[in-house]
Amino acid sequence: MTIKTIGIVGSGQMGNGIAHVSALAGYNVKLFDISKIQLDKALATIAGNMTRQVSSDKISEQDREAALEKLSVTDSYEELATADLIIESATEKEEVKREIFEHLRPYISEDTILASNTSSIPITRLASNTDRPEQFIGIHFMNPVPVMELVEIVRGIATDDKTFNLAQEFVDTLGKQTAVAEDFPAFIVNRILLPMINEAIYTLYEGVGTVESIDKAMKLGANHPMGPLQLADFIGLDTCLSIMQVLHDGLADPKYRPCPLLVKYKEAGWLGRKTKRGFYDYRGETPVPTR
Ligand code: CAA
């Protein structure tokens, strides 16, 4: 089997990024969302991000045009189901992800491979609710997808070798590196990264440092490209909280307790960059700390 068409469910920042790199690698891409407005926004974002890459000579104008031609959007599960590999990249809610695979079930062919870009939900559990746990795998991209080199590949207990090899080949053709992770809560990157971010939020909550001093400390003191609170806003505070909850529930260790301040920001709807407010306020020219 060769993969020619990639279906992507969810046109948020991760779905956009996966569509972007897949189209640039020459795949036909069908980007699905239930919201047509969201799909229009996604197309504009992808075109804009490709323009950035043209401006910095990462790709040519011809590459950009060819990739945009490979990209189509749809709000029909039936149309999406013609893809060879379907990557679910919807919100980090297990119920939502399960429903998506339920909707796809009547339309997919027996060869279709299903994947999830989940950042923390067990692949084995998601797979067990589909009709094809053998052809189900975790393909976890990092944000921003066009820039980050790594993709985690996560096998569920039932994932067969053919599916694993196809997933690995797919990532190779995107020009990215893979790290294979066992299917335990939050896999490798988020198992390590999110407790660090959560600890930065505790550091703020306990008054050890301000937003600015915590970010400055980690940028200049540990050579991180972004401070941990800046990074939390970039990932999305709802996603950060749900990953901490998966770690806390899945490993039953109090060291993963989500910081109450993270919960408060989530409850306020201050989810970071995407809602223009989180640990920073992004509504003006330059981001201003919110505490
Ligand atoms: N599409 C295309 N290009 C993009 C882009 C996008 N979405 N975002 C940034 N870029 C490009 C810029 O155009 C720029 O290109 P040039 O160097 O060629 O000019 C380059 O990336 C660097 O961007 P900037 O100059 O704007 O800013 P920066 O130097 O501060 O880098 C960053 C931005 C790459 C995001 C960097 O700050 C960084 O690496 N941050 C950490 C990101 C990170 O840790 N990601 C992982 C999050 S965890 C995750 O994703 C897993 C999960 O499940 C939660």
Side-chain angles (χ1 to χ4, degrees):
M1 181 192 175
T2 49
I3 294 172
K4 294 201 181 81
T5 304
I6 311 295
I8 297 154
V9 185
S11 62
Q13 59 187 359
M14 296 307 287
N16 280 344
I18 302 167
H20 176 133
V21 296
S22 302
L24 268 180
Y27 292 99
N28 299 312
V29 176
K30 290 177 193 287
L31 181 60
F32 171 96
D33 205 291
I34 45 173
S35 157
K36 283 207 161 128
I37 297 171
Q38 191 63 37
L39 285 171
D40 286 341
K41 270 200 213 161
L43 280 179
T45 304
I46 295 169
N49 283 335
M50 286 186 186
T51 301
R52 281 167 89 166
Q53 290 181 303
V54 174
S55 315
S56 57
D57 285 333
K58 296 262 166 15
I59 61 172
S60 68
E61 182 53 36
Q62 288 91 316
D63 294 335
R64 177 182 179 275
E65 277 165 25
L68 290 175
E69 262 176 39
K70 294 258 170 200
L71 184 61
S72 61
V73 294
T74 180
D75 61 358
S76 147
Y77 280 107
E78 195 170 357
E79 197 188 327
L80 175 71
T82 57
D84 307 306
L85 165 66
I86 301 177
I87 307 173
E88 171 280 315
S89 183
T91 183
E92 272 304 271
K93 291 199 181 104
E94 194 164 341
E95 205 39 48
V96 172
K97 293 183 188 293
R98 275 193 204 183
E99 275 172 23
I100 288 166
F101 292 118
E102 274 302 313
H103 283 301
L104 278 168
R105 192 191 287 236
Y107 306 118
I108 47 182
S109 83
E110 60 177 28
D111 289 332
T112 311
I113 292 171
L114 298 179
S116 177
N117 178 53
T118 178
S119 43
S120 57
I121 299 170
I123 294 301
T124 302
R125 204 157 76 205
L126 285 175
S128 70
N129 285 293
T130 69
D131 61 347
R132 60 193 65 208
E134 305 75 18
Q135 285 163 233
F136 194 104
I137 193 156
I139 306 182
H140 180 220
F141 289 81
M142 308 295 138
N143 188 22
V145 180
V147 179
M148 303 299 283
E149 253 187 280
L150 188 82
V151 177
E152 281 179 304
I153 297 199
V154 188
R155 286 182 90 139
I157 201 165
T159 309
D160 63 21
D161 288 345
K162 190 174 153 212
T163 301
F164 175 79
N165 292 334
L166 280 168
Q168 177 86 54
E169 276 166 34
F170 164 64
V171 176
D172 289 347
T173 61
L174 303 180
K176 297 198 181 287
Q177 301 281 327
T178 54
V180 178
E182 289 297 319
D183 185 23
F184 288 103
F187 320 131
I188 298 173
V189 172
N190 286 335
R191 169 80 178 260
I192 299 168
L193 185 64
L194 265 295
M196 191 271 291
I197 289 176
N198 195 46
E199 199 58 33
I201 303 170
Y202 270 114
T203 310
L204 176 67
Y205 178 62
E206 291 169 10
V208 181
T210 61
V211 169
E212 274 169 325
S213 58
I214 292 165
D215 276 347
K216 185 177 184 184
M218 294 308 288
K219 270 175 82 170
L220 303 184
N223 245 4
H224 289 189
M226 281 177 169
L229 301 172
Q230 234 187 330
L231 183 56
D233 278 356
F234 184 64
I235 292 170
L237 302 188
D238 50 343
T239 303
C240 290
L241 179 59
S242 74
I243 297 170
M244 286 312 298
Q245 282 163 338
V246 165
L247 282 168
H248 195 234
D249 295 348
L251 298 168
D253 188 327
K255 76 178 177 181
Y256 298 114
R257 189 171 73 102
C259 179
L261 188 59
L262 174 59
V263 177
K264 198 198 283 270
Y265 271 81
K266 158 75 180 21
E267 285 173 348
W270 291 14
L271 307 181
R273 283 204 197 175
K274 62 186 165 189
T275 57
K276 302 235 183 296
R277 248 185 305 186
F279 292 109
Y280 293 85
D281 186 331
Y282 300 91
R283 291 172 299 173
E285 281 266 294
T286 44
V288 180
T290 52
R291 301 179 75 77

